[in-house]
Amino acid sequence: MTKTGLLSALPDWETLSLRQQIAQMIVVRASGHLFDHQIEYLQWEAPHAVLQRSIQELGVGGVILLGGSAAEIGLRTQQLQDWAEIPLVIAADIEEGVGQRFAGATWFPPPMALGQIAREDAALAIDLALQMGKITAQEAKAIGLNWVLAPVVDVNNNPANPVINVRSWGDTPELVGQLGAAFLQGAQSVSVLTTAKHFPGHGDTAIDSHLELPVIDHDLTRLQQIELPPFQQSIGAQVDAIMTAHIRLPALDPIHPATLSRSILTGLLRQQMNFDGLIVTDALIMGAILDRYGATAAPVMAVEAGADIVLMPADPEGAIDAICEAVETGRIPLTQIQASLDRIWKAKQKVSDMPITGSSTHDWERHTPPPIDLTQLAQPEAIETANVILQHSTQIYRSNGDRLEQFLSQRLIAALADRLAPRNLILVDDALNCGFLARSAPAVTLPAELGCSLQVLDRNTIGLLTAETNPPPTLLQLFIRGNPFRGSAGLTQTVQELVSRLIREDSASLGLFALVVYGSPYALESLTTQLPPDLPYGFSYGQMPAAQTIVLNRLFGNGQQKQNQPFTD
């Protein structure tokens, strides 16, 4: 039944067939773009016709979006809800604000920036985390997103962690628990769903679960001291959902990863920790699960373990069929499906503010959906909050008479005029997929004002510098943080060798005259031991243009000294 501009009220889930009930437990991934030719990840994001069929015919319960602008998402969410007979949950991984994923909205620095602030001013950090949660939820709701897949409450106590890293608030359970709870408090002032992730704790891993299955060998006592407290605090803060981790913990289950472990999801999370909200799997297309268990076995095992929501199964229709069969053969009790539907319906009622009609037909009461309101995006208060976080977490090291001071002196600039022109060397992870770097980006334009020519390289092209001899005076800007599917969170050996080579250049050409690191404090920490005392550097947790402006202006402009303190986040 077509409902342009309207949404159905929730029917009583008991009026649905078993297959329809199970379909409501499935959340599929879709592109935030409106047209098929704009799809960026063809292996995961279904084309228009397939997505429409998944919603209208299969009756999946939700969609997770990635890509596109915030304005596009507003249109996209209306389109998806218009297709659905039963209102959808529409989710996004917006741990750093809506602007992290969807251009035009507010983009906050990573949560670890607030962890850094908390070391000096805990009250300020907690207030900023609350504001960050509130603004994220407001902007999400304004464009039709009703499920915020945040906050991350993993304790990142392994600097080599390639997948959590700066997504965590910090390296202690107290810090993570406090800031995560503050974010939840802010977000819950708006009618959206929130999610604590990744249970029972993905912080102490050195393997990317997007690629392989990490194993954590901690005993139960250690888990109770470090990994579990932030989740318990999130439960106390009334978090709506908890996302599972694709990790194996032999102390809790010697065979199954957490996502597929009944002893972890039902025994520990449900029964011991008394969580009665939604348990949602992490994406089942990730290598840690899909490569080991397959497209249809994994969803069955996840539901069997106690999951209410199956996120991004590789084969949604196959997953529905397989779970139906498991119920019909008695492998999964029907009562367990019913308990999941009850939780899903409570969540949908919260975000749609719609009554359950109790009707046994599909002619359910009509309700006008919340309007899309782009005027709620990137408001001055939101931008100011993001800038305050950046200002308070940015770190600068300068010393009197340092290399940058020498470079900025007119005498040296004149002396260099007949020799090697200075350059602005920028290293990014992937030059073809770099939303924070454009010709107008401050990382490009501000050094240009100092006469620096631009050179941009990424992990695929950095090898071009290995044969370089007599390099020019260089400002080196590194955009480095953990990225899914990369398998590494730190500096590559090639980058480290480059920095060492530039540092060794003689004082006549200066070599490396300033360094800026955006993203991971661990990347900077791995370099500081080899940096000479006369080499100035700046660090920002953020990579967006606002972060570039703040760190470069402070590095170039005021020359203010700051003690070189080790990074311990």
Side-chain angles (χ1 to χ4, degrees), residues 58 65 111 150 247 270 286 376 383 500 530:
L58 299 183
L65 294 173
I247 57 174
R270 282 270 184 247
M286 291 165 60
Q376 296 299 309
I383 299 300
S500 297
Q530 63 175 309

Side-chain angles (χ1 to χ4, degrees), residues 407-535:
F407 172 75
L408 294 175
S409 71
Q410 290 301 314
R411 289 195 307 271
L412 183 59
I413 292 176
L416 290 171
D418 296 328
R419 300 186 61 192
L420 297 173
R423 70 175 168 185
N424 171 24
L425 178 57
I426 297 177
L427 297 180
V428 298
D429 182 62
D430 184 355
L432 296 179
N433 187 21
C434 191
F436 50 78
L437 197 63
R439 288 192 177 276
S440 60
V444 174
T445 59
L446 293 179
E449 294 175 3
L450 301 178
C452 295
S453 62
L454 177 64
Q455 188 173 4
V456 180
L457 297 175
D458 64 11
R459 57 191 166 88
N460 300 309
T461 57
I462 187 175
L464 297 173
L465 292 177
T466 56
E468 184 179 55
T469 60
N470 193 27
T474 299
L475 164 66
L476 180 59
Q477 299 189 74
L478 304 175
F479 289 82
I480 294 181
R481 59 172 287 178
N483 288 298
F485 298 100
R486 298 287 186 265
S488 174
L491 293 167
T492 65
Q493 187 64 32
T494 307
V495 172
Q496 291 177 322
E497 291 173 357
L498 169 64
V499 172
S500 297
R501 189 166 66 251
L502 290 173
I503 289 173
R504 289 195 300 268
E505 291 301 313
D506 62 40
S507 59
S509 66
L510 281 181
L512 185 63
F513 67 81
L515 171 69
V516 184
V517 177
Y518 304 91
S520 171
Y522 307 117
L524 179 60
E525 185 178 16
S526 69
L527 291 173
T528 51
T529 56
Q530 63 175 309
L531 299 183
D534 67 339
L535 179 67

Side-chain angles (χ1 to χ4, degrees), residues 12 78 107 126 185 190 227 255 290 303 344 425-426 429 438:
D12 189 329
Q78 288 184 320
W107 186 3
I126 289 171
Q185 181 183 351
V190 183
E227 278 76 18
I255 300 174
L290 182 61
V303 174
I344 293 168
L425 178 57
I426 297 177
D429 182 62

Side-chain angles (χ1 to χ4, degrees), residues 396-406 532-537 559-562:
I396 302 294
Y397 173 78
R398 292 293 308 271
S399 61
N400 292 328
D402 62 22
R403 296 185 181 201
L404 180 55
E405 188 173 322
Q406 296 176 52
D534 67 339
L535 179 67
Y537 60 81
Q560 181 178 354
Q561 294 188 43
K562 182 173 183 177

Side-chain angles (χ1 to χ4, degrees), residues 230-298:
F231 288 98
Q232 194 69 71
Q233 196 161 346
S234 296
I235 293 170
Q238 305 299 310
V239 68
D240 299 288
I242 291 181
M243 180 180 286
T244 68
H246 297 334
I247 57 174
R248 189 164 66 85
L249 299 98
L252 301 179
D253 189 325
I255 300 174
H256 303 104
T259 296
L260 309 180
S261 170
R262 186 165 182 81
S263 64
I264 294 176
L265 300 191
T266 298
L268 177 59
L269 183 56
R270 282 270 184 247
Q271 297 172 353
Q272 295 182 37
M273 298 178 70
N274 297 314
F275 177 62
D276 196 36
L278 291 173
I279 297 179
V280 54
T281 71
D282 204 344
L284 294 189
I285 53 86
M286 291 165 60
I289 299 296
L290 182 61
D291 293 348
R292 289 170 176 260
Y293 300 95
T296 56

